[in-house]
Amino acid sequence: MDYTSDGDSELEAYGSDTYALLLSGDIEVMNDEGLYRCPFCSDEKDDYNKYDLLQHALGVGAAHDQQVKDKVDHRALAKHLKDDEPAKSHSPLLQPIVIDPQPPQHNRDDLFVWPWMGIIVNMPSEYVGKSANRLKEHFSRFYPVKVHHVYSKGRPTGNAIVEFGKDLVGFRNALTFENQFENEGYGKIGWQEKEHGGPEPFGWIARADDYNAPGAIGDFLRKNGDLKTADGVEDEETMKNNKLVASLSFKVIETDMHIRELKSVYQERTASLKRMMEQREQQLQSYNQEIQKMQQLSVEHTKTIVDENKKLRLDLQSMTHELDARSKQIDELAAQTDCDRRNLELEKQRNAMKFNHLTLAEQEYQKADENVLKLVEQHKREKETALNNIKKLNEKLHLTHKLQLDIKHLTGKLEVIKLTPGNETSESGKRIAELTEELRDKIEEMDYTENYNQDLIVQEKKTAVELQEARKLAIDAIQRFPGQTSDQAHIGIKMIGELDLKAFSNVCRQKFPKDDAEVESVKLCSKWQNEISNPNWHPFVAAMVNGKESEVIREDDKKLQELKEEYGEEAYTAVTTALTELNEHSSSGSRVSFPEMWNYKEGRKAKTKEIVQHVIKLAKASKKGR
């Protein structure tokens, strides 16, 4: 329907000004590249050819849901395009394309140029030497892949080649393209009958005669294509698909066999590991039972020795009493004869020697008894030494604090007495002297306490250094046992302050493509590991936790807030956990990650006792493995 047929009176009433501006060129329709654009659609940025722009103007002018002004402007544009259209422009290249719904027919033995190509000859001058995209857009309903202008000696010939791809769908599009021209009488036969004359363009699909023909078109076809039958291409595609299916089927079978082998190996290793764990559990129970038996025997042996010593002591006391009684009897008979005296004297000497020997024996038994008791208590004292040192240090610190308060109190009293008027009497002087002496004693006592505290601190540091060296030696020993970094007690080596890459991998898989997620997660983890190692960044604040002052993460830290907003809670938790671990467990204050023995079951640093037990177990397991 022509919406410009209502007459000039309607244009004069509603859009005479717009039409006049279009005629005068004040409103531009065509740009410098020869493409058309609607001047009334501000949101429309697409380029048109003249026919498509005319269809757009007619459609908007007839729409019922448009504003009156927009409809009148588009009707004026349609009239301007029609008035400006050449009277003889009836070329099928510029007319609406109606695709034949019936699939075109061809002979099975026909040779076509492959990739499938269509030939356009005798193109209108407005398309010659212009952008090939205009032709591609015009024939877009045939789904062309590319459009090429044909040149001869560097000059356009007015002909073009349209590529339709290499598959059978492209072949059908090429045949439909040829059928469209044939139906209009502008196919290859029409071109030959009109003896290459006339203003209309002609088109057909490229075949063997075109491929072998001399000239620019034949040169282009031979350079960019081959001759094949449609059935041959279809057979090739079928063969390729069959090979691909067979290859994939073989891979599926091979993969399935490999999975079954892996499953069998997994089951065997699982059973072997289960047996090893059961043997290890039995060995551990046997070891514990042996230790208990040895401890019980040691207690019983110690008790037996103590009981025997008591019995020997009683025997010695009984013999001593008996010797005393005999010595008294000898003294009563001393007055008898000289011979008796000499005998008595000799007897006394022998008794004295026996008594000395018995006394020495009793002393030796007492020493042995004391040594046994000392050995029993020595282990207990060694365990309590560290706790006593800490307790003494706390007591001395408390005493120091008390002395400081007393010194301040006495100093305040002394200053008050000195500054109080009317206290210049001898009694005031005596009071000042007493306070001064007491103050001097307190200061000396505090100096002594501070020196003692310093000695305790030095001893405590020395013990801590020795303990840290022992932990390092334990870590080195455990690292010599590959695959044995943890056991049923969940004791192993943990890198304090090292970020968990898994947390960043989970985030990056959500934010990046699958192929880039792993690389991005490594970059992000490395970046934040460097941030943690930066000593100039201190995202902590002092706070009271469970009645004790300690450092906690600053919730308003800018870097951590940006991390949380951009990458989520999981990445934020990983970074704050690493920072907290370094702040709590790094003795030197460094931000560099380091290995530490860790109790994974209870989530804390392993005790020295647990480390020693763990090293012994690993050593025994290694010996049994050899």
Side-chain angles (χ1 to χ4, degrees), residues 9-219:
S9 59
E10 185 176 356
L11 287 174
E12 291 175 357
Y14 296 101
S16 58
D17 293 339
T18 302
Y19 184 67
L21 292 173
L22 289 167
L23 289 176
S24 64
D26 292 337
I27 298 178
E28 295 183 355
V29 178
M30 184 171 65
N31 58 21
D32 295 338
E33 298 178 356
L35 299 176
Y36 291 85
R37 181 173 295 177
C38 179
F40 305 115
C41 296
S42 58
D43 296 335
E44 187 68 38
K45 297 182 180 179
D46 294 334
D47 294 330
Y48 297 91
N49 58 39
K50 188 174 181 180
Y51 172 76
D52 292 337
L53 182 59
L54 176 61
Q55 296 299 318
H56 166 74
L58 291 174
V60 175
H64 297 288
D65 57 348
Q66 298 289 333
Q67 298 291 331
V68 175
K69 185 176 182 306
D70 293 337
K71 294 170 66 174
V72 171
D73 288 341
H74 281 80
R75 290 180 184 181
L77 175 61
K79 178 175 176 59
H80 170 67
L81 292 173
K82 279 201 166 190
D83 292 344
D84 191 50
E85 185 177 0
K88 294 183 180 181
S89 180
H90 299 290
S91 169
L93 192 65
L94 302 178
Q95 298 302 319
I97 298 175
V98 179
I99 300 178
D100 188 358
Q102 297 296 327
Q105 302 295 324
H106 67 279
N107 294 327
R108 295 176 59 87
D109 297 330
D110 288 348
L111 289 173
F112 299 91
V113 178
W114 182 88
W116 319 116
M117 298 185 187
I119 300 174
I120 301 176
V121 298
N122 200 35
M123 289 191 304
S125 59
E126 63 182 280
Y127 288 91
V128 177
K130 303 298 182 180
S131 173
N133 289 331
R134 294 182 62 189
L135 281 173
K136 182 179 179 181
E137 179 184 359
H138 185 78
F139 292 109
S140 61
R141 296 188 182 182
F142 300 109
Y143 306 104
V145 177
K146 291 181 182 178
V147 177
H148 306 275
H149 286 290
V150 179
Y151 291 85
S152 176
K153 297 182 180 179
R155 295 183 179 181
T157 61
N159 305 325
I161 301 296
V162 183
E163 288 189 23
F164 294 96
K166 298 180 179 181
D167 54 9
L168 294 177
V169 175
F171 179 70
R172 286 194 291 271
N173 293 334
L175 290 177
T176 305
F177 165 83
E178 181 182 57
N179 189 46
Q180 175 68 28
F181 279 94
E182 289 288 347
N183 292 339
E184 298 292 334
Y186 297 110
K188 185 174 183 179
I189 297 176
W191 170 250
Q192 293 172 346
E193 290 176 352
K194 292 184 179 182
E195 297 182 353
H196 304 183
E200 300 83 1
F202 294 80
W204 62 88
I205 188 171
R207 289 180 170 81
D209 55 345
D210 302 305
Y211 183 86
N212 296 317
I217 294 178
D219 293 341

Side-chain angles (χ1 to χ4, degrees), residues 50 78 83 176 206 228 241 289-290 293-294 350 353 513 519 536 592 607 616 620:
K50 188 174 181 180
D83 292 344
T176 305
K228 293 185 179 182
N241 291 334
Q289 292 175 359
E290 289 294 328
K293 288 180 180 179
M294 291 175 64
R350 287 194 294 268
M353 290 177 64
V519 177
N536 297 324
V592 180
K607 298 178 181 178
I616 292 172
K620 290 184 177 180

